[in-house]
Structures are given as structure tokens and as C-alpha cells.
Amino acid sequence: MQYEQLASEGAMRFREKERPLLLAIETSCDETAAAVLEGANLVRSMTVFTQIPLHEKYGGVVPEIASRSHVEKVGAVTDAALKQAGITIRDVDAVAVTYGPGLVGALLVGISYAKGLAFAAGKPLVGVNHIAGHIAANYLTYPDLEPPFVCLVASGGHSHIVRVDERCRFTLLGCTRDDAAGEAFDKVARVLGLGYPGGPKLEALAKEGDPHAFRLHAGFNDKPNLDFSFSGLKTAVINLVHTAEQRGENLRAVDVAASFQHAVVETLAEKSVRACLESGMKTLALAGGVSANRALREAMGQKAEQAGLRFCCPDFRFCTDNAAMIACAGYHALMAGQLSPLSLNAVPGLQLASPEIK
Ligand code: KG4
Ligand code: ZN
């Protein structure tokens, strides 16, 4: 039988099964990850090989090194996920893989591997948008969560306010005009000499500092739109550090970190709560690597509560890149009738949604 026919019959069986098994692979940036999901939200296994030590000495992700490392690890990481779940590829009902956005070489490794597996084992294949994956991390944590709701996606490459209309249908309400929130954390961390990845290190430093020591603001903070700008804030921190250096003054890095984090968190929380209220939604969710930031989780939680909104944020293990969230988004995509051909290609600039037309 031709692969296409096997895949479409397999996809039909997937939808009919009560608890189908889905294998997911994620290689969009600097984490090689695989996971097995049973049904909509039981994570049977998840494995992540992080490349952080490989990129650390360069102060950021080196795409060529990332691709090579994915090639070396994707097989072992996938095997480990299957083994931990106590199954083999024959037991899997479908294969999901991230096909964008991300680094093209890195994405291609996961896609090629997933296609090879799907073809060899005659399993349906579904390409998943990485951002849809981050949003789906919330379904793993809150099985009762149903669209519509508003979600702030804050990662290394994105700061999007998204209205989740249906599980596979999204509307973009606002986004960053320059740097993403995670990118701003990483760049400021570098200026403070904290190394890569900067987000968690900056958060740890900020704990000891005074968030009101310096008057820092993100761009568009006082504007009625739902967009962000973090590049001016980053420049303000760089200027602060350089001026202090030139004057021979001792700048308290803990206070700089705390003031910077406060500025980012305030604007993210403020605008996402406003987006939720303006679009008449009752639930606000948070997703993306920056959702691991406790100050952001707390600020959003508090502001949402004051506004009478339900607030959801993923378990810490589902915040930064992982394949369980890709599996969850893949599950919903398959349930919605999506299926990818073997010609599936990487789309580095893949968009999640179009802006709202008012
Ligand atoms: O979603 P993710 O793992 O990868 C991308 O899709 O980009 O997000 C990684 C980003 C990095 O910029 C990292 O510094 C940031 O998330 N991040 C954090 C924290 N943990 C990760 N930013 C602030 N506080 C954290 N605790
Ligand atoms: Zn991500």
C-alpha cells in the first residue's frame, strides 16, 4: 500500500481511538527533544537534550553547531522517549514534528528524522507550529482549559498576545516591534556578564535587588496598543552600565537586574490583561520560555485576579522548549483533520496567525 493511503487510514484510526499514542520531535533551536503523549494530555515520557553547554562559550546559539548536535542526538533522544514510555515505534499511532518557526538547519534535522520514521513505520505525520506548541503546554497543565482565551507567548523569538479562538485557530492581537522578551533578558544578561542563556540567570540576580532602584520602562508602555518594544529598554540598561563604568561608579547589578525585570514584567502583564478584557475573554494564559519567570507568573496572576480573570501558566517542565507541548498541539491538529505530506518542509519564519482585522 502507498504511504499516503496508510497515513490517511492511520489518521482516521487516530481520531477514533480513545487514547492514541503520539510521538513528537522538537529540534527548532538548541534543545533536542522527544515525547510520547497518550490521548490529549497524559505525558507518557519526555526527553530533552540541552545544547546549552555547547553554545555557552559563544554567548548565544550558533546555528551550525545546533544543527550538528541535533543530528548526533535526535536518534538517541527519540529512542529514549519511546523506551521510557515502554513502547516501540510500532505502537505509535502518529508522529508530530515542529516545522517552524526556528533555525532552518535545526528544524530540518527533526523534520527529516520524523519523516523517515513515519514513512518506515507507515504512520501519519503532522507538522506543528512551535508557538502553537507553547500555547498547548497549558492544556497539559489544565486539562479543563477550553478556548476561547487570550495567551501571552513570551519566548526567545516571540512576544505575542494571541487570542486562541479554537485549539487550532488563532488571532494575533499584539506583538513586539523589535526584540522578543526572552531576547531582551538574554541581551541584558550578557551586558551584566551573566552568560547564556540569560533569562534564568538574570531572574536569580534580580531576586536580591530593588525593582525600583532605576526608572526603566519598556517602549509603548503607556500606549493604548497591544504591541511591545524592548530594544530601547535594553539600550537604556547598556547606557546605565557604560556610564557607571566611565565614571568609575560601582553599579549594583542586582538592582539593575531587578529594575529591568520589573519593567519587562509590568508591560507584559499589563498589556495581556488589557487584551483579555478588551476581547471579552475570561481566561488569560501564559506560555513560552519566559513563562518560567516567577516574577512574571506572579504579576500576571495578581493582575488577572484583580480583573476577575482566570489565570493559567504551564508547569515549569513545560515552559521552555520540550516535545510534550508539540505532541499536545499535534494531537489537536490531528483531531482537527490535519495531516502533513512527506514533502513537509521547514518554514523558519512560520506565522501562527494573522493580525485581527477591525
Ligand atoms: O521558548 P524557549 O525555550 O525557546 C524559544 O522558543 O525561544 O524560550 C527561551 C527564552 C530565552 O530567551 C530564555 O532566556 C528565556 O526564554 N527564559 C527566561 C527564563 N527561563 C527562560 N526568561 C526569564 N526568566 C526565566 N526564568
Ligand atoms: Zn520555544
Side-chain angles (χ1 to χ4, degrees):
M1 206 190 292
Q2 289 287 312
Y3 170 75
E4 284 72 20
Q5 198 183 337
L6 273 178
S8 87
E9 286 176 15
M12 210 144 45
R13 274 197 305 279
F14 187 97
R15 289 192 288 274
E16 283 161 4
K17 261 195 169 174
E18 204 176 320
R19 306 197 65 78
L21 290 172
L22 182 58
L23 169 70
I25 296 171
E26 149 69 44
T27 63
S28 67
C29 190
D30 58 349
E31 248 99 41
T32 316
V36 173
L37 186 73
E38 180 183 326
N41 44 41
L42 178 68
V43 179
R44 287 271 296 257
S45 69
M46 57 186 284
T47 50
V48 182
F49 173 80
T50 178
Q51 301 177 357
I52 287 173
L54 300 179
H55 301 290
E56 225 165 10
K57 60 174 176 283
Y58 303 102
V61 180
V62 182
E64 180 63 22
I65 293 177
S67 312
R68 281 166 193 255
S69 175
H70 285 309
V71 170
E72 281 168 17
K73 299 291 178 203
V74 69
V77 165
T78 306
D79 287 349
L82 289 169
K83 196 166 171 209
Q84 270 179 33
I87 60 169
T88 71
I89 187 68
R90 279 190 293 281
D91 305 310
V92 163
D93 295 297
V95 179
V97 65
T98 307
Y99 75 107
L103 302 169
V104 65
L107 287 164
L108 280 171
V109 176
I111 294 171
S112 310
Y113 195 79
K115 281 197 226 177
L117 273 182
F119 180 69
K123 308 289 180 182
L125 174 75
V126 68
V128 173
N129 181 310
H130 183 79
I131 303 301
H134 273 302
I135 295 172
N138 279 286
Y139 302 128
L140 294 175
T141 308
Y142 306 89
D144 68 319
L145 177 63
E146 293 277 347
F149 59 90
V150 165
C151 186
L152 168 71
V153 187
S155 70
H158 292 78
S159 296
H160 281 7
I161 301 181
V162 175
R163 193 178 67 218
V164 183
D165 301 303
E166 292 167 13
R167 287 180 195 270
C168 301
R169 195 164 61 83
F170 310 90
T171 304
L172 186 64
L173 301 179
C175 65
T176 183
R177 302 272 185 97
D178 40 57
D179 293 350
E183 192 181 352
F185 266 94
D186 293 338
K187 286 178 176 169
V188 167
R190 198 180 309 163
V191 171
L192 296 177
L194 300 178
Y196 168 85
K201 290 180 178 163
L202 196 137
E203 179 181 11
L205 194 68
K207 265 197 205 99
E208 316 296 322
D210 172 8
H212 303 290
F214 300 98
R215 284 171 56 86
L216 295 171
H217 295 290
F220 299 140
N221 196 31
D222 46 2
K223 296 274 185 303
N225 64 24
L226 296 172
D227 289 341
F228 304 109
S229 167
F230 295 112
S231 128
L233 176 62
K234 169 199 68 192
T235 309
V237 174
I238 293 173
N239 289 342
L240 209 63
V241 172
H242 287 175
T243 309
E245 268 170 18
Q246 277 161 6
R247 290 186 183 156
E249 287 169 7
N250 193 9
L251 200 64
R252 274 172 53 87
V254 286
D255 288 343
V256 178
S259 302
F260 163 80
Q261 177 174 272
H262 180 69
V264 175
V265 161
E266 279 302 300
T267 194
L268 289 176
E270 223 279 308
K271 291 214 170 184
S272 41
V273 167
R274 180 140 48 82
C276 198
L277 294 174
E278 280 175 8
S279 51
M281 298 288 134
K282 299 264 180 287
T283 302
L284 176 63
L286 173 61
V290 187
S291 67
N293 185 285
R294 285 189 166 79
L296 178 61
R297 294 163 82 98
E298 275 164 29
M300 274 183 72
Q302 267 173 20
K303 284 191 202 290
E305 194 184 349
Q306 281 161 9
L309 301 171
R310 178 186 182 192
F311 175 63
C312 299
C313 55
D315 268 2
F316 282 105
R317 67 191 181 125
F318 301 135
C319 287
T320 46
D321 290 351
N322 65 86
M325 67 184 199
I326 302 301
C328 186
Y331 170 89
H332 292 297
L334 283 157
M335 284 307 195
Q338 294 177 26
L339 188 62
S340 299
L342 286 179
S343 57
L344 179 71
N345 205 350
V347 184
L350 184 65
Q351 298 293 315
L352 179 70
S354 311
E356 187 173 35
I357 299 160
K358 286 191 179 142

